[in-house]
Amino acid sequence: SVVVLDSLNSIKGFRYEMWCLARAAGTRSCVVHVATPADVCRQWNGTRGQQAAYPPGVLEDLLGRFERPDSKSRWDAPLFEVSPWQEDGDQVAAVLQRAAAAMVGGAAASAPAAALLNPTVATAAPAASSTNLLGDIDSAAQHVIERIVDAQQAAGGSAGHLQFSADGSVTLDLSSSLSLPELRRHKRGFIKLATQNALTIRDSDQATRLFVSYLQPQLE
């Protein structure tokens, strides 16, 4: 399913919050900016009728506080812009089709790639844990530790870049080495978070992703 948040979204802090929600859900997100000059906004507002129009003072306040989306910001990317005040319906529809393609995997040649956002320890929300699930979490974390130990032994120290998913979305940069006792200590800390319902973990794949995310700061 696709969620379209048709709102002002004029403050970058609010767009960042929406990006965090998308990341916690492990899904894609994009921003569609209806790029319209202030004078055109005032003109359109004047034609809406008294019940639907913004009071002049409110409109000016909104215009003054507007923070334009920037494609360089990760919470605004990929960014699509439409200008219905100067573009015809076909041009607007073409941009919206590119946005839709980016959200479902990117089929349009000119559509920026929208990567699946991976939940992290910081963005994961609380959820209950079952006994079976805790066993899966323990096994997933142990598998990560074994991969790291094997890679470090094979490399004779720092093992470089390790991949934990077939699509390359879950990776660990082993810029420094971790001893087995350190890895076990981090595993205990991670499982403690899980048992305290501080993480949303639904299966072993998500446990692997979050444990890798938990480990990465320890290597930096």
Side-chain angles (χ1 to χ4, degrees):
S1 61
V2 176
V3 176
V4 178
L5 182 61
D6 184 10
S7 179
L8 291 178
N9 301 323
S10 55
I11 306 300
K12 64 182 179 182
F14 183 72
R15 297 195 299 271
Y16 175 73
E17 183 179 351
M18 295 301 101
W19 180 85
C20 286
L21 289 174
R23 184 172 187 177
T27 189
R28 297 179 172 91
S29 73
C30 75
V31 172
V32 177
H33 176 211
V34 182
T36 310
D39 287 342
V40 176
C41 291
R42 295 185 185 98
Q43 179 184 348
W44 284 353
N45 190 58
T47 64
R48 298 182 70 184
Q50 187 174 1
Q51 296 298 323
Y54 287 102
V58 173
L59 180 61
E60 292 305 318
D61 182 59
L62 290 171
L63 292 172
R65 292 190 290 119
F66 173 65
E67 296 174 301
R68 188 183 183 92
D70 183 353
S71 60
K72 295 179 182 178
S73 299
R74 62 186 184 278
W75 54 85
D76 286 335
L79 174 63
F80 301 89
E81 287 196 356
V82 295
S83 299
W85 64 282
Q86 65 178 2
E87 297 174 343
D88 61 33
D90 290 340
Q91 290 174 302
V92 172
V95 176
L96 297 180
Q97 287 172 0
R98 290 170 51 217
M103 291 301 94
V104 296
S110 57
L116 282 170
L117 302 174
N118 292 320
T120 66
V121 170
T123 59
S129 299
S130 67
T131 301
N132 290 339
L133 180 57
L134 288 177
D136 291 341
I137 294 171
D138 185 279
S139 297
Q142 185 60 36
H143 175 69
V144 171
I145 288 175
E146 291 172 357
R147 286 280 313 278
I148 293 172
V149 170
D150 290 345
Q152 289 181 159
Q153 288 178 346
S158 176
H161 198 71
L162 272 184
Q163 182 172 306
F164 291 90
S165 63
D167 62 1
S169 63
V170 184
T171 60
L172 185 65
D173 182 16
L174 290 167
S175 54
S176 59
S177 60
L178 286 173
S179 66
L180 184 56
E182 286 179 299
L183 289 168
R184 287 173 174 166
R185 176 169 57 83
H186 292 313
K187 175 187 171 184
R188 289 194 297 270
F190 176 74
I191 291 177
K192 183 178 180 180
L193 286 176
T195 57
Q196 292 175 341
N197 287 343
L199 303 175
T200 294
I201 300 178
R202 291 179 291 271
D203 52 40
S204 59
D205 288 342
Q206 192 170 27
T208 297
R209 184 185 306 120
L210 287 175
F211 186 48
V212 169
S213 173
Y214 180 85
L215 283 176
Q216 188 62 71
Q218 318 304 327
L219 295 159
E220 296 174 352

